[in-house]
């Protein structure tokens, strides 16, 4: 059945499963069926994920630090500072294979956080790729880091 979801106040609405922005609204339409739905109702609209490494060359045994940013638009600063959300992190080796032991979900309060990845002494030298993905928007960012 076609259904209208009515909210108490306007929110930035994201269809998380579909990765689609539905707008800054106080109601939205859905097809009520037997399939699960998941919506994020946010006081501000998340922008593109940004990932910035502290340095692009690290040695085995060092900690790789990267700043994760999800800038928000159209929201009050106070609401954004209190907003908690998650960014999913993956690390790919030089052959493009995910190294599952580095996989993590980083909780961000506001629009910025830092991820720390301890690079194992057993990692082979080469170009590694660090990826960040917002589960709300589906947006991704990637950076390459050289392990020496």
């Amino acid at each position: 059945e076609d259904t209208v979801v009515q909210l108490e106040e306007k929110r930035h609405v994201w269809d998380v499963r579909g990765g689609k922005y539905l707008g800054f609204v106080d109601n939205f339409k859905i097809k009520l069926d037997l399939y699960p739905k998941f919506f994020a109702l946010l006081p501000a609209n998340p922008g593109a994920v940004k990932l910035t490494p502290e340095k692009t060359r690290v040695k085995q045994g060092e900690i790789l630090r990267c700043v994760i940013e999800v800038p928000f638009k159209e929201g009050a600063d106070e609401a954004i500072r209190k907003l908690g959300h998650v960014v999913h992190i993956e690390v790919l080796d030089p052959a493009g294979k995910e190294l599952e032991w580095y996989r993590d979900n980083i909780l961000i309060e506001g629009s910025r956080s830092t991820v720390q990845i301890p690079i194992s002494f057993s990692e082979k030298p080469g170009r590694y790729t660090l990826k960040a993905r917002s589960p709300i928007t589906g947006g991704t960012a990637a950076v390459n880091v050289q392990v020496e």
Side-chain angles (χ1 to χ4, degrees):
E1 293 293 323
D2 289 330
T3 304
V4 175
V5 176
Q6 185 67 45
L7 306 175
E8 291 182 12
E9 60 185 350
K10 281 188 163 185
R11 292 289 187 193
H12 293 276
V13 179
W14 280 86
D15 175 352
V16 176
R17 293 178 64 96
K20 184 178 175 187
Y21 180 61
L22 302 180
F24 184 60
V25 296
D26 61 3
N27 69 72
F28 58 98
K29 295 178 183 178
I30 64 170
K31 185 78 160 176
L32 194 58
D33 53 25
L34 297 176
Y35 297 99
K37 312 277 188 258
F38 183 32
F39 298 95
L41 311 174
L42 305 170
N45 193 15
V49 178
K50 297 177 184 175
L51 191 58
T52 309
E54 186 178 81
K55 52 187 178 178
T56 57
R57 294 177 136 0
V58 293
K59 294 180 180 173
Q60 297 160 321
E62 288 185 342
I63 294 177
L64 169 61
R65 291 178 181 81
C66 289
V67 173
I68 304 169
E69 291 181 85
V70 180
F72 284 87
K73 323 173 250 199
E74 306 167 32
D77 289 340
E78 183 66 22
I80 293 170
R81 273 194 300 277
K82 292 179 179 180
L83 186 60
H85 55 106
V86 170
V87 172
H88 182 73
I89 300 294
E90 294 178 353
V91 176
L92 308 179
D93 70 9
K97 180 183 175 209
E98 183 191 358
L99 303 175
E100 294 176 15
W101 45 91
Y102 292 122
R103 186 186 302 162
D104 203 356
N105 290 311
I106 304 299
L107 176 62
I108 299 177
E109 292 183 9
S111 59
R112 184 181 178 138
S113 187
T114 301
V115 61
Q116 298 186 55
I117 300 171
I119 303 300
S120 172
F121 282 104
S122 62
E123 296 300 349
K124 295 178 184 174
R127 189 178 88 174
Y128 288 69
T129 302
L130 179 65
K131 291 184 174 184
R133 182 180 57 82
S134 168
I136 294 173
T137 66
T140 61
V143 295
N144 293 317
V145 175
Q146 186 69 30
V147 174
E148 302 173 338

